[in-house]
């Protein structure tokens, strides 16, 4: 059993902290929101009124926070210099590569090992302990973090050095955004050409056009497996979060000098869909605009 401080107990972090408790860890939890803290307490965490208190004597610190600015503020003011230097730091938030590297460097300068470990999988996977973690950091830090992350996920993959987890996450989600729009426009065109959509699904899901956005997450209600499309596009992966990831991908593409015409078009289309008031809808609902 390890003493694990957990910072950020929202939609994702709440379920992840509960899974660490189920795995037998002593979880010391903090969130700014009272409701999130109350839920963590019900799930067996010990709750604290500040990050500094929660990280005292911890063997590891896990965070699941909204963005890079918050991650940097929390680590530089309240974790570094307050957790023991023997504690492994694991940030599971989705943030920009540059900030992930900057915070890991600040931690290293103060004597800590840190990994960026963003996730693939939504709230259901966080609750069910079936997330996929992509991890950036040294081989030694990865080896230390793997058993902790394995208690919250079905796969833990070492992506490379510091920042590589975030890089893998945004590359994956840029492909997902573009492939979802391609799937949506293809079904819209198939319908206009008079094809039965289930029949087209049966053909294309076994032909060279098949992709995850079609076979596992079909955006057409009543076609393929049960997806958010069958539930009025509620639940699933919110458009606002897809847009967040696409913006991070565009920043990364710019700083790396990568030419990403499909990714940038996907970012424009999701920005317009979000601005039209659809940020809370599942990202496959963009089919309604096509
Ligand atoms: P959320 O808004 O539900 O949770 C974030 C939590 O952080 C909130 O409870 C908030 O009160 C807390 N918080 C904010 N500032 C804090 C601070 N300074 N100290 C302590 N707590 C603070 O968001 P979420 O959906 O759980 O997402 C968290 C991260 O996971 C994000 O980076 C997101 O991009 C990523 N992510 C989300 C999903 C998803 O489907 N929701 C999927 C993959 C990755």
């Amino acid at each position: 059993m390890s003493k694990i401080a957990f910072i950020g107990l929202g939609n994702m972090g709440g379920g992840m902290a509960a899974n660490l408790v189920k795995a037998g860890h002593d979880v010391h939890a903090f969130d700014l929101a009272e409701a999130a803290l109350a839920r963590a307490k019900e799930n067996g965490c010990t709750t604290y009124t500040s990050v500094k208190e929660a990280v005292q004597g911890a063997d590891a610190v896990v965070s699941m926070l909204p963005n890079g600015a918050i991650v940097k503020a929390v680590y530089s003011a309240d974790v570094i210099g307050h957790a023991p230097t023997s504690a492994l730091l694991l940030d599971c938030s989705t943030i920009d590569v540059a900030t992930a590297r900057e915070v890991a460097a600040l931690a290293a300068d103060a004597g800590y090992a840190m990994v960026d470990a963003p996730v693939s999988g939504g709230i259901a996977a966080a609750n069910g302990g079936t997330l996929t973690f992509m991890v950036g950091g040294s081989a030694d830090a990865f080896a230390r973090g793997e058993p902790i992350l394995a208690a919250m996920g079905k796969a833990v993959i070492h992506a490379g050095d510091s920042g590589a987890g975030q890089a893998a996450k945004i590359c994956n989600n840029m492909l997902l955004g573009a492939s979802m729009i391609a799937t949506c426009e293809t079904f819209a065109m198939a319908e206009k050409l008079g094809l039965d959509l289930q029949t087209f699904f049966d053909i294309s899901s076994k032909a060279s056009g098949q992709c995850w956005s079609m076979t596992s997450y079909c955006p057409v209600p009543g076609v393929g497996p049960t997806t958010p499309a069958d539930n009025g596009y509620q639940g699933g992966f919110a458009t606002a979060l897809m847009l967040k990831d696409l913006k991070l991908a565009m920043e990364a593409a710019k700083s790396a000098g990568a030419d990403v015409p499909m990714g940038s078009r996907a970012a424009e289309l999701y920005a317009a869909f979000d601005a039209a008031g659809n940020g809370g809808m599942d990202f496959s609902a963009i089919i309604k605009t096509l």
Side-chain angles (χ1 to χ4, degrees), residues 38-93:
R39 180 180 161 218
K41 199 168 189 173
E42 274 170 31
N43 287 333
C45 301
T46 310
T47 55
Y48 289 84
T49 53
S50 72
V51 173
K52 285 178 188 158
E53 285 173 288
V55 302
Q56 291 293 317
D59 300 310
V61 178
V62 179
S63 53
M64 195 53 168
L65 293 161
N67 59 50
I70 294 174
V71 168
K72 188 175 167 188
V74 166
Y75 276 89
S76 50
D78 296 332
V79 176
I80 295 172
H82 298 279
T85 49
S86 55
L88 176 68
L89 312 181
L90 306 102
D91 179 41
C92 299
S93 327

Side-chain angles (χ1 to χ4, degrees), residues 7-8 10-12 30-33 64-66 70 74 93-94 119 121-122 169 241 244:
I7 319 298
N11 288 320
M12 298 291 289
F30 176 72
D31 193 291
L32 291 175
M64 195 53 168
L65 293 161
I70 294 174
V74 166
S93 327
T94 302
V119 305
K169 162 84 186 177
L241 286 172
K244 171 191 168 181

Side-chain angles (χ1 to χ4, degrees), residues 30-185:
F30 176 72
D31 193 291
L32 291 175
E34 285 297 331
L37 273 181
R39 180 180 161 218
K41 199 168 189 173
E42 274 170 31
N43 287 333
C45 301
T46 310
T47 55
Y48 289 84
T49 53
S50 72
V51 173
K52 285 178 188 158
E53 285 173 288
V55 302
Q56 291 293 317
D59 300 310
V61 178
V62 179
S63 53
M64 195 53 168
L65 293 161
N67 59 50
I70 294 174
V71 168
K72 188 175 167 188
V74 166
Y75 276 89
S76 50
D78 296 332
V79 176
I80 295 172
H82 298 279
T85 49
S86 55
L88 176 68
L89 312 181
L90 306 102
D91 179 41
C92 299
S93 327
T94 302
I95 68 169
D96 60 289
V97 177
T99 302
R101 289 188 176 141
E102 188 186 340
V103 177
L106 289 174
D109 287 347
Y112 299 86
M114 180 166 190
V115 295
D116 48 293
V119 305
S120 176
I123 300 163
N127 290 335
T130 58
L131 294 165
T132 293
F133 290 90
M134 26 212 131
V135 185
S138 70
D140 180 56
F142 175 75
R144 288 172 61 197
E146 190 177 20
I148 296 169
L149 298 172
M152 303 182 282
K154 64 171 188 214
V156 183
I157 300 161
H158 192 195
D161 288 339
S162 188
Q166 298 295 351
K169 162 84 186 177
I170 53 166
C171 285
N172 180 73
N173 279 22
M174 186 175 81
L175 178 57
L176 174 63
S179 77
M180 177 54 79
I181 293 171
T183 302
C184 290
E185 70 184 23

